[in-house]
Amino acid sequence: QVQLVESGGGLVQAGGSLRLSCAASGSTFNSYAMGWFRQAPGKEREFVGYINWSGSNTVYADSVKGRFTISRDRAKNTVYLQMNSLEVEDTDVYYCAGSRVATMPLPHEYVYWGQGTQVTVSS
């Protein structure tokens, strides 16, 4: 019932900013918790951050805390990942994911995934 499409990735210089978008279809989107993850080929998927169903609570990985911000626009059925002060180590494919568990889903409870968008940070 839910399809997720990421956009906004690209090439950016270290220290720069990007905003990723995750557009969701389906009427149940606004009851979903949403997470952002990233993964490089041959590497394990890494949790980036999470926002609860209402947008009132966010959690971030230590590696991005203070630099990345997750928000959601319920009217537009869109979740955003604002990435500031980007570092070369942030280079990855970024995925958004949704869970019917409205708050603090466990990893296996993210069941809807986008196709990913590439973020490349150059030095």
Side-chain angles (χ1 to χ4, degrees):
Q1 290 183 307
V2 174
Q3 293 182 327
L4 306 175
V5 179
E6 302 97 335
S7 62
L11 176 65
V12 65
Q13 189 174 0
S17 298
L18 283 174
R19 188 181 73 165
L20 306 184
S21 298
C22 176
S25 63
S27 61
T28 61
F29 167 75
N30 284 336
S31 68
Y32 282 29
M34 298 294 296
W36 284 95
F37 299 82
R38 61 188 185 184
Q39 188 172 25
K43 303 294 184 180
E44 293 184 352
R45 184 178 61 201
E46 178 186 6
F47 172 76
V48 174
Y50 142 89
I51 188 165
N52 74 338
W53 70 276
S54 69
S56 63
N57 186 54
T58 54
V59 175
Y60 301 95
D62 288 343
S63 59
V64 306
K65 192 175 300 181
R67 299 187 297 118
F68 290 11
T69 303
I70 299 172
S71 61
R72 68 193 302 165
D73 186 333
R74 295 167 63 84
K76 296 184 182 296
N77 283 356
T78 301
V79 176
Y80 303 97
L81 179 64
Q82 178 67 47
M83 305 185 293
N84 298 327
S85 301
L86 282 162
E87 303 167 354
V88 172
E89 292 76 16
D90 297 318
T91 295
D92 264 321
V93 177
Y94 284 71
Y95 300 88
C96 65
S99 175
R100 292 185 176 181
V101 177
T103 183
M104 294 297 293
L106 298 173
H108 72 273
E109 292 174 324
Y110 288 99
V111 297
Y112 299 101
W113 293 85
Q115 65 183 13
T117 185
Q118 176 71 48
V119 172
T120 303
V121 184
S122 63
S123 61

Short mmCIF file of all heavy atoms in Angstrom, two decimals, residues 12-38:
data_model
loop_
_atom_site.label_atom_id
_atom_site.label_comp_id
_atom_site.label_asym_id
_atom_site.label_seq_id
_atom_site.Cartn_x
_atom_site.Cartn_y
_atom_site.Cartn_z
N VAL A 12 28.38 16.60 -3.96
CA VAL A 12 28.53 17.83 -3.21
C VAL A 12 29.92 17.87 -2.61
O VAL A 12 30.51 16.83 -2.29
CB VAL A 12 27.44 17.95 -2.12
CG1 VAL A 12 27.60 16.86 -1.07
CG2 VAL A 12 27.45 19.33 -1.48
N GLN A 13 30.44 19.06 -2.46
CA GLN A 13 31.75 19.23 -1.86
C GLN A 13 31.67 19.10 -0.34
O GLN A 13 30.66 19.44 0.28
CB GLN A 13 32.31 20.60 -2.23
CG GLN A 13 33.76 20.82 -1.85
CD GLN A 13 34.28 22.15 -2.37
OE1 GLN A 13 33.56 22.91 -3.01
NE2 GLN A 13 35.54 22.43 -2.09
N ALA A 14 32.71 18.58 0.25
CA ALA A 14 32.76 18.48 1.70
C ALA A 14 32.47 19.83 2.33
O ALA A 14 32.97 20.86 1.89
CB ALA A 14 34.12 17.95 2.15
N GLY A 15 31.66 19.79 3.38
CA GLY A 15 31.22 21.01 4.03
C GLY A 15 29.92 21.55 3.50
O GLY A 15 29.32 22.43 4.13
N GLY A 16 29.47 21.03 2.38
CA GLY A 16 28.24 21.48 1.78
C GLY A 16 27.02 20.79 2.35
O GLY A 16 27.09 20.02 3.31
N SER A 17 25.89 21.04 1.70
CA SER A 17 24.61 20.54 2.19
C SER A 17 23.81 19.92 1.06
O SER A 17 23.94 20.28 -0.11
CB SER A 17 23.78 21.67 2.80
OG SER A 17 24.43 22.25 3.92
N LEU A 18 22.98 18.97 1.42
CA LEU A 18 21.99 18.39 0.55
C LEU A 18 20.73 18.13 1.35
O LEU A 18 20.80 17.89 2.55
CB LEU A 18 22.47 17.06 -0.05
CG LEU A 18 23.47 17.07 -1.20
CD1 LEU A 18 23.90 15.64 -1.51
CD2 LEU A 18 22.88 17.74 -2.43
N ARG A 19 19.61 18.17 0.67
CA ARG A 19 18.37 17.76 1.28
C ARG A 19 17.77 16.63 0.47
O ARG A 19 17.45 16.78 -0.71
CB ARG A 19 17.36 18.91 1.36
CG ARG A 19 16.12 18.54 2.18
CD ARG A 19 15.09 19.64 2.26
NE ARG A 19 14.38 19.82 1.01
CZ ARG A 19 13.26 20.51 0.88
NH1 ARG A 19 12.71 21.10 1.94
NH2 ARG A 19 12.69 20.64 -0.32
N LEU A 20 17.63 15.49 1.11
CA LEU A 20 16.99 14.35 0.49
C LEU A 20 15.50 14.36 0.80
O LEU A 20 15.09 14.74 1.89
CB LEU A 20 17.60 13.04 1.00
CG LEU A 20 19.12 12.89 0.88
CD1 LEU A 20 19.54 11.50 1.33
CD2 LEU A 20 19.59 13.18 -0.53
N SER A 21 14.74 13.92 -0.16
CA SER A 21 13.30 13.81 0.01
C SER A 21 12.87 12.37 -0.16
O SER A 21 13.46 11.62 -0.95
CB SER A 21 12.56 14.69 -1.00
OG SER A 21 12.87 16.05 -0.84
N CYS A 22 11.86 12.00 0.54
CA CYS A 22 11.25 10.68 0.42
C CYS A 22 9.76 10.89 0.26
O CYS A 22 9.07 11.23 1.24
CB CYS A 22 11.58 9.83 1.64
SG CYS A 22 10.77 8.21 1.66
N ALA A 23 9.29 10.72 -0.94
CA ALA A 23 7.88 10.90 -1.23
C ALA A 23 7.16 9.57 -1.09
O ALA A 23 7.58 8.56 -1.63
CB ALA A 23 7.69 11.45 -2.64
N ALA A 24 6.07 9.60 -0.36
CA ALA A 24 5.33 8.39 -0.05
C ALA A 24 3.95 8.44 -0.67
O ALA A 24 3.28 9.47 -0.67
CB ALA A 24 5.22 8.20 1.45
N SER A 25 3.55 7.32 -1.20
CA SER A 25 2.17 7.14 -1.63
C SER A 25 1.45 6.28 -0.61
O SER A 25 2.06 5.51 0.13
CB SER A 25 2.10 6.50 -3.02
OG SER A 25 2.66 5.19 -3.00
N GLY A 26 0.15 6.41 -0.58
CA GLY A 26 -0.63 5.62 0.34
C GLY A 26 -1.20 6.44 1.47
O GLY A 26 -0.51 7.29 2.04
N SER A 27 -2.41 6.17 1.81
CA SER A 27 -3.11 6.95 2.81
C SER A 27 -2.66 6.67 4.23
O SER A 27 -2.99 7.43 5.14
CB SER A 27 -4.62 6.72 2.70
OG SER A 27 -4.94 5.35 2.92
N THR A 28 -1.91 5.60 4.44
CA THR A 28 -1.46 5.25 5.78
C THR A 28 -0.12 5.86 6.14
O THR A 28 0.37 5.64 7.25
CB THR A 28 -1.36 3.72 5.94
OG1 THR A 28 -0.41 3.20 5.00
CG2 THR A 28 -2.72 3.08 5.71
N PHE A 29 0.48 6.64 5.25
CA PHE A 29 1.81 7.20 5.49
C PHE A 29 1.89 7.95 6.80
O PHE A 29 2.87 7.83 7.54
CB PHE A 29 2.21 8.11 4.34
CG PHE A 29 3.42 8.95 4.62
CD1 PHE A 29 4.68 8.39 4.62
CD2 PHE A 29 3.29 10.30 4.92
CE1 PHE A 29 5.81 9.15 4.88
CE2 PHE A 29 4.40 11.07 5.18
CZ PHE A 29 5.66 10.51 5.17
N ASN A 30 0.91 8.74 7.10
CA ASN A 30 0.99 9.60 8.26
C ASN A 30 0.90 8.86 9.59
O ASN A 30 1.07 9.47 10.64
CB ASN A 30 -0.09 10.69 8.19
CG ASN A 30 0.27 11.79 7.22
OD1 ASN A 30 1.44 12.01 6.92
ND2 ASN A 30 -0.74 12.49 6.71
N SER A 31 0.64 7.58 9.55
CA SER A 31 0.69 6.78 10.76
C SER A 31 2.00 6.01 10.90
O SER A 31 2.16 5.26 11.86
CB SER A 31 -0.49 5.80 10.80
OG SER A 31 -0.37 4.82 9.79
N TYR A 32 2.90 6.19 9.96
CA TYR A 32 4.15 5.44 9.93
C TYR A 32 5.27 6.19 10.61
O TYR A 32 5.40 7.41 10.47
CB TYR A 32 4.58 5.19 8.48
CG TYR A 32 3.86 4.09 7.75
CD1 TYR A 32 2.56 3.74 8.05
CD2 TYR A 32 4.51 3.42 6.72
CE1 TYR A 32 1.91 2.75 7.37
CE2 TYR A 32 3.87 2.41 6.02
CZ TYR A 32 2.58 2.08 6.35
OH TYR A 32 1.94 1.09 5.65
N ALA A 33 6.10 5.46 11.32
CA ALA A 33 7.42 5.95 11.64
C ALA A 33 8.30 5.82 10.40
O ALA A 33 8.12 4.90 9.60
CB ALA A 33 8.03 5.17 12.80
N MET A 34 9.23 6.73 10.23
CA MET A 34 10.09 6.72 9.06
C MET A 34 11.55 6.76 9.49
O MET A 34 11.91 7.50 10.40
CB MET A 34 9.80 7.91 8.15
CG MET A 34 8.39 7.94 7.59
SD MET A 34 8.06 6.55 6.45
CE MET A 34 9.23 6.91 5.13
N GLY A 35 12.35 5.98 8.82
CA GLY A 35 13.77 5.96 9.09
C GLY A 35 14.57 6.26 7.84
O GLY A 35 14.11 6.07 6.71
N TRP A 36 15.77 6.75 8.05
CA TRP A 36 16.76 6.91 6.99
C TRP A 36 17.93 5.99 7.29
O TRP A 36 18.40 5.92 8.43
CB TRP A 36 17.25 8.35 6.87
CG TRP A 36 16.27 9.27 6.21
CD1 TRP A 36 15.36 10.08 6.82
CD2 TRP A 36 16.12 9.49 4.80
NE1 TRP A 36 14.65 10.78 5.89
CE2 TRP A 36 15.09 10.44 4.64
CE3 TRP A 36 16.74 8.97 3.67
CZ2 TRP A 36 14.67 10.89 3.39
CZ3 TRP A 36 16.32 9.41 2.42
CH2 TRP A 36 15.30 10.36 2.29
N PHE A 37 18.38 5.30 6.26
CA PHE A 37 19.50 4.39 6.35
C PHE A 37 20.47 4.67 5.21
O PHE A 37 20.10 5.29 4.22
CB PHE A 37 19.03 2.93 6.28
CG PHE A 37 18.11 2.53 7.39
CD1 PHE A 37 16.76 2.82 7.33
CD2 PHE A 37 18.59 1.85 8.50
CE1 PHE A 37 15.90 2.46 8.35
CE2 PHE A 37 17.74 1.48 9.53
CZ PHE A 37 16.40 1.78 9.45
N ARG A 38 21.68 4.20 5.34
CA ARG A 38 22.64 4.34 4.26
C ARG A 38 23.48 3.08 4.16
O ARG A 38 23.68 2.37 5.13
CB ARG A 38 23.51 5.58 4.43
CG ARG A 38 24.37 5.59 5.69
CD ARG A 38 25.03 6.96 5.84
NE ARG A 38 25.95 7.00 6.97
CZ ARG A 38 26.59 8.09 7.36
NH1 ARG A 38 26.41 9.24 6.70
NH2 ARG A 38 27.41 8.05 8.41
#
